Amino acid sequence: MKVQTMFSNRRAFLQTSATVLASGTMARVGSIGGSDLPKQPVKGFAAGQNHRRKELWSLLGDLPWQHRSGPAKLVKTEEHDGYKLEHLVLDLNGQEPVPALLLIPDKRQTPAPGYSTFIGTPECMSSGKEQLLKGVAVQPAYAPVCAEKGLVTLAIDSWCFGERQHNADGHTGEEDAFKLMLWQGQVLFGMMMFDEFRAFDYLASRPEVDPERLGVFGMSMGSTKAWWLAALEPRVKVAWMCVASLISTS
């Protein structure tokens, strides 16, 4: 039995998605090529989308819509090969601060396409947003690819990940947060999506970013977030997902 990881395929997959977004090609969400969707919206299609978005939001529990996001706090700036990296703390939910990384390529269009990345694999619970820079066994660091393609890229620490991991045992911490939120009428995944939604707003507001060219990328549970945000947020033009797995061949 031979077990191998898909490093080269995943890297090629990410490079392809980055090229699509950087070139301004607007693939329709739900189809990589968009060929299976009508070129012209059918009557009532937009209204139907709005109705479905409301239904999806209603499934995510009580969300802190009353909280108005404050300005981002810049902690420090680093210069890397081909890009600048801002370490930020975002005020998204009114309950706990959200550490984030913003990658700004040295060579980019003005304004440049924006890209939100979502972390979700168990291997990433302690590293969180740092996966952008360090990678893990199932996914190499992809900051160089984003810089090469000229994508202004945002990664945040989700609930129970990275600097928001409040228990040394990540799984126990996630279970504790899940149960606590249920008692409060909240859903952990809903609170995660709320943060991603507000973070996407922040990305779109950056002066370096073209708000008409915004995309999302996620791996494992992050791929589920990418689908959800694409469904909830009409500004998402490109959504790419990657499932973390090992391929076994005999």
Side-chain angles (χ1 to χ4, degrees):
M1 183 72 70
K2 180 181 178 183
V3 180
Q4 63 182 27
T5 57
M6 299 298 289
F7 278 6
S8 59
N9 285 350
R10 289 194 176 96
R11 186 179 294 278
F13 180 80
L14 179 59
Q15 288 175 328
T16 300
S17 66
T19 301
V20 169
L21 188 59
S23 67
T25 303
M26 303 305 183
R28 292 178 184 267
V29 173
S31 169
I32 293 178
S35 59
D36 61 340
L37 294 178
K39 294 183 179 180
Q40 297 296 329
V42 297
K43 184 178 180 180
F45 183 68
Q49 282 184 314
N50 290 333
H51 177 70
R52 289 300 185 191
R53 288 189 187 106
K54 291 179 181 179
E55 284 188 325
L56 289 175
W57 279 119
S58 72
L59 298 174
L60 296 178
D62 291 340
L63 299 173
W65 292 111
Q66 73 283 357
H67 176 70
R68 295 188 178 183
S69 297
K73 177 183 178 182
L74 177 62
V75 177
K76 64 178 179 178
T77 301
E78 298 174 352
E79 295 294 336
H80 290 255
D81 184 17
Y83 63 92
K84 178 175 70 175
L85 190 70
E86 291 187 358
H87 291 252
L88 305 165
V89 176
L90 304 180
D91 172 27
L92 304 180
N93 55 61
Q95 296 184 26
E96 66 176 37
V98 180
L101 295 175
L102 184 72
L103 181 153
I104 305 174
D106 294 340
K107 296 181 180 180
R108 62 183 188 275
Q109 299 173 1
T110 304
Y115 205 45
S116 280
T117 66
F118 306 142
I119 311 302
T121 62
E123 296 88 344
C124 303
M125 293 197 79
S126 59
S127 58
K129 64 188 181 306
E130 299 292 330
Q131 186 185 349
L132 174 69
L133 308 174
K134 300 176 181 178
V136 290
V138 294
Q139 183 184 46
Y142 49 97
V145 176
C146 295
E148 178 187 352
K149 300 302 179 182
L151 304 174
V152 178
T153 305
L154 179 68
I156 70 170
D157 277 336
S158 187
W159 291 88
C160 308
F161 280 71
E163 295 179 60
R164 300 173 74 183
Q165 183 177 342
H166 304 306
N167 190 305
D169 184 332
H171 292 287
T172 298
E174 192 173 45
E175 290 173 356
D176 290 346
F178 175 79
K179 288 183 283 189
L180 177 61
M181 287 184 181
L182 280 182
W183 293 335
Q184 298 172 340
Q186 296 174 327
V187 178
L188 177 58
F189 184 75
M191 293 296 288
M192 287 179 171
M193 287 310 307
F194 185 83
D195 280 1
E196 301 292 1
F197 180 78
R198 285 280 176 88
F200 191 81
D201 266 345
Y202 173 74
L203 176 66
S205 74
R206 290 285 303 208
E208 304 91 348
V209 172
D210 181 355
E212 296 300 319
R213 287 190 293 163
L214 298 171
V216 293
F217 169 78
M219 181 175 179
S220 192
M221 185 176 71
S223 67
T224 304
K225 291 183 185 179
W227 272 120
W228 271 79
L229 192 62
L232 295 169
E233 173 52 78
R235 290 175 296 177
V236 174
K237 303 300 182 183
V238 181
W240 292 95
M241 288 64 63
C242 184
V243 178
S245 62
L246 295 178
I247 305 300
S248 299
T249 58
S250 56

